[in-house]
Amino acid sequence: MIEKWVFFDLDGTLTRSEEGIWNCVKYTAERMGFPVPDAATLRKFIGPPLISSFQQYMGMSEEQAWKAQSVYRERYTTVGKFENQVYPGVRSLLRALKRAGIHMGVVTGKPENSTRSILDYFGLSRFIERVSCASDARADKDHLIRAVMPGQDAEVWMVGDRCFDMEGGVKAGVHTLGVTYGYGSEQELLDSGAERIVHTPWEAAEILCPGTAVPAGAFLSMEGLDGSGKSTQIEKLTRTLEKFGYEVVHSREPGGTPISEKIREILLSRENTEMSDVTEALLYAAARAQHVRERIRPAVAAGKVLLCDRFLDSSVAYQGAGRQMGVDRILAINAPAVEETLPLLTVYLDLDHRTSLQRRSEASELDRMEMEKEDFHARVEEGYRELISRNPERYVVVNARGDREEIADAIAKAVLKKLMEAED
Ligand code: TYD
């Protein structure tokens, strides 16, 4: 089988980098006493070499443009390069190509230091075998492609979002694939020699690796006593994961599907005071069975990260420990509901039950579960502790009384590590 290589441009193809680039151009203009370019002009800075952009779009002399480049890099190398996000779908594309044995590289007009630290920061380095970056002496894409070309009989593609990528590919004699989700238009890509055009990263996977299946996503859950701040942390974690290119979908238990939401109403209604413990446990399991099949499994199979507010652990803690039904009985009731579907990682927001009670009563009206007495919630807290001590590697435990941003950072770090380890 002949070797296949795919070279990706970075800005506008793997990462959406406008925020960092624009902030750095504005900073440079201010520092050098030039008027700050308008939005349309700022857009033009993504793709071509900086030296020519400073001259062409801001009217600088060549000497001023070199000075501007070093001012720009001062900010870019410390802050700007991380004001950046991986396009949704790019991780799935890279994973699918790697799984198919396709070699990958990055060919970019950025300097090597920034390129490598961006790839490292976003956990993309493991997919990329070769990197070819612009230097002050050499910035043309065809030269950059030639510098990393494999042997003669390999099939080679250049993938990019601007005319520079397509023209470079044509000159270097490789196949060209233009992506329209970046900064160039479809017309620009066609005019500069794009052989194929795609509108999403996954369409690129279908061309570069026909017949490939989307790599599986992941299932994560968030647990904690009522009032531990799960909703806030779910929002924060979602924003971070999206920056890293993960496609996140939310769900909750009990609930997450129309049938499960109806069961939720029965479970939480303050009118249902006569509900027996067994009924309660079975209803949570029934809602879960539907949720697993209708929502969780399909989302993970479609490559998404499904982030769920509560899952099986809640039943173990609330019904197993809180209602004193026993852990094994709860696991037995839930076995047919979940089968092998368990979270890759569970975030536990650790809050003592007294603080939880105080926070709950200050918030909205209490539901049927929240109306339970203090000793019930003390047992739930103990139930979670027991679960975590039995299986510590499945949990990230964070102190829910700490600073929100620090909690969010600790969660993001642990979750990203686990997600990246699970990426084939
Ligand atoms: P919810 O309003 O979602 O609580 P929170 O906002 O604290 O997540 O209500 C869910 C309630 O149901 C909560 O008190 C915990 C309880 N519960 C169980 O008792 N067993 C379970 O299996 C699940 C999923 C939740």
Side-chain angles (χ1 to χ4, degrees):
M1 210 180 83
I2 66 161
E3 238 184 46
K4 194 161 176 175
W5 277 84
V6 178
F7 292 114
F8 293 98
D9 163 55
L10 186 60
D11 292 338
T13 303
L14 296 182
T15 58
R16 173 183 300 166
S17 45
E18 70 233 16
E19 192 190 335
I21 294 177
W22 294 348
N23 287 343
C24 291
V25 173
K26 288 184 201 160
Y27 170 84
T28 308
E30 278 160 12
R31 279 272 310 271
M32 296 198 46
F34 278 77
V36 172
D38 60 20
T41 312
L42 284 174
R43 274 184 78 81
K44 298 185 185 154
F45 274 81
I46 303 160
L50 278 173
I51 297 289
S52 62
S53 298
F54 283 128
Q55 295 175 74
Q56 211 177 325
Y57 309 132
M58 285 172 67
M60 291 187 184
S61 68
E62 195 183 331
E63 200 184 324
Q64 286 169 323
W66 283 100
K67 169 85 181 54
Q69 177 169 275
S70 62
V71 173
Y72 176 100
R73 285 191 181 154
E74 230 173 69
R75 185 180 185 281
Y76 191 80
T77 50
T78 48
V79 193
K81 66 186 174 191
F82 302 124
E83 293 168 338
N84 201 344
Q85 99 167 85
V86 178
Y87 283 107
V90 158
R91 296 198 96 86
S92 299
L93 160 67
L94 300 184
R95 287 174 67 193
L97 297 193
K98 184 158 188 234
R99 200 174 52 188
I102 296 173
H103 302 281
M104 288 173 274
V106 162
V107 172
T108 169
K110 270 192 170 10
E112 183 153 352
N113 274 349
S114 302
T115 303
R116 291 206 183 267
S117 55
I118 290 167
L119 294 173
D120 283 345
Y121 177 76
F122 287 116
L124 300 180
S125 299
R126 95 197 73 174
F127 299 108
I128 303 299
E129 293 170 56
R130 293 184 186 173
V131 170
S132 184
C133 299
S135 62
D136 291 345
R138 205 185 59 178
D140 291 339
K141 285 257 158 130
D142 58 315
H143 288 110
L144 297 177
I145 297 169
R146 285 203 191 92
V148 283
M149 274 291 257
Q152 292 231 311
D153 19 312
E155 178 184 333
V156 184
W157 286 80
M158 178 67 212
V159 180
D161 68 312
R162 296 295 313 271
C163 52
F164 314 98
D165 305 309
M166 302 299 102
E167 283 159 3
V170 171
K171 279 196 200 157
V174 304
H175 296 286
T176 49
L177 190 154
V179 302
T180 58
Y181 56 79
Y183 302 102
S185 67
E186 182 158 349
Q187 199 54 52
E188 168 181 331
L189 292 162
L190 287 171
D191 290 347
S192 51
E195 250 170 76
R196 304 292 300 266
I197 297 278
V198 295
H199 307 293
T200 65
W202 190 251
E203 281 173 36
E206 284 167 342
I207 288 181
L208 298 166
C209 185
T212 189
V214 183
F219 170 30
L220 306 171
S221 63
M222 187 82 76
E223 295 277 355
L225 298 183
D226 305 85
S228 56
K230 287 184 277 96
S231 316
T232 310
Q233 292 302 332
I234 284 174
E235 285 310 318
K236 288 186 183 294
L237 179 59
T238 301
R239 278 200 291 279
T240 306
L241 294 182
E242 285 175 348
K243 182 171 153 115
F244 278 73
Y246 292 98
E247 296 170 272
V248 183
V249 289
H250 290 172
S251 200
R252 66 169 180 183
E253 287 212 344
T257 73
I259 293 172
S260 316
E261 290 288 337
K262 284 187 187 154
I263 301 176
R264 177 188 174 95
E265 280 172 31
I266 301 173
L267 276 165
L268 300 184
S269 164
R270 292 157 66 105
E271 287 169 17
N272 292 335
T273 45
E274 271 123 76
M275 190 181 297
S276 80
D277 292 352
V278 182
T279 309
E280 180 182 292
L282 288 167
L283 284 176
Y284 276 114
R288 182 163 299 129
Q290 188 64 28
H291 187 217
V292 163
R293 282 154 188 79
E294 193 181 329
R295 191 86 197 274
I296 300 178
R297 287 181 188 158
V300 173
K304 315 281 188 225
V305 171
L306 187 128
L307 183 49
C308 196
D309 185 344
R310 300 190 180 281
F311 191 64
L312 176 60
D313 293 338
S314 284
S315 279
V316 174
Y318 283 78
Q319 283 66 53
R323 300 273 186 236
Q324 295 177 297
M325 289 180 72
V327 172
D328 292 337
R329 208 159 148 220
I330 295 303
L331 290 177
I333 286 174
N334 278 277
V338 302
E339 294 172 330
E340 77 301 338
T341 304
L342 287 173
L344 173 70
L345 191 71
T346 297
V347 176
Y348 179 64
L349 292 170
D350 192 358
L351 187 69
D352 65 277
H353 65 276
R354 288 199 185 86
T355 314
S356 153
L357 180 69
Q358 196 186 336
R359 288 195 189 174
R360 277 190 332 263
S361 38
E362 284 165 5
S364 50
E365 193 184 43
L366 300 183
D367 64 36
R368 192 178 61 87
M369 301 300 291
E370 289 168 333
M371 280 158 56
E372 282 297 328
K373 298 193 189 61
E374 185 179 335
D375 59 339
F376 172 85
H377 292 284
R379 287 196 300 273
V380 172
E381 183 187 349
E382 195 42 46
Y384 273 122
R385 288 196 198 292
E386 169 75 26
L387 258 176
I388 293 163
S389 69
R390 280 195 198 187
N391 200 357
E393 64 287 353
R394 186 162 65 77
Y395 296 90
V396 192
V397 180
V398 286
N399 180 354
R401 298 182 69 164
D403 171 75
R404 280 183 183 186
E405 296 306 322
E406 280 170 23
I407 296 173
D409 286 348
I411 295 174
K413 206 164 153 228
V415 169
L416 284 167
K417 182 165 179 282
K418 194 78 172 187
L419 285 178
M420 287 179 192
E421 278 168 8
E423 280 176 344
D424 35 47

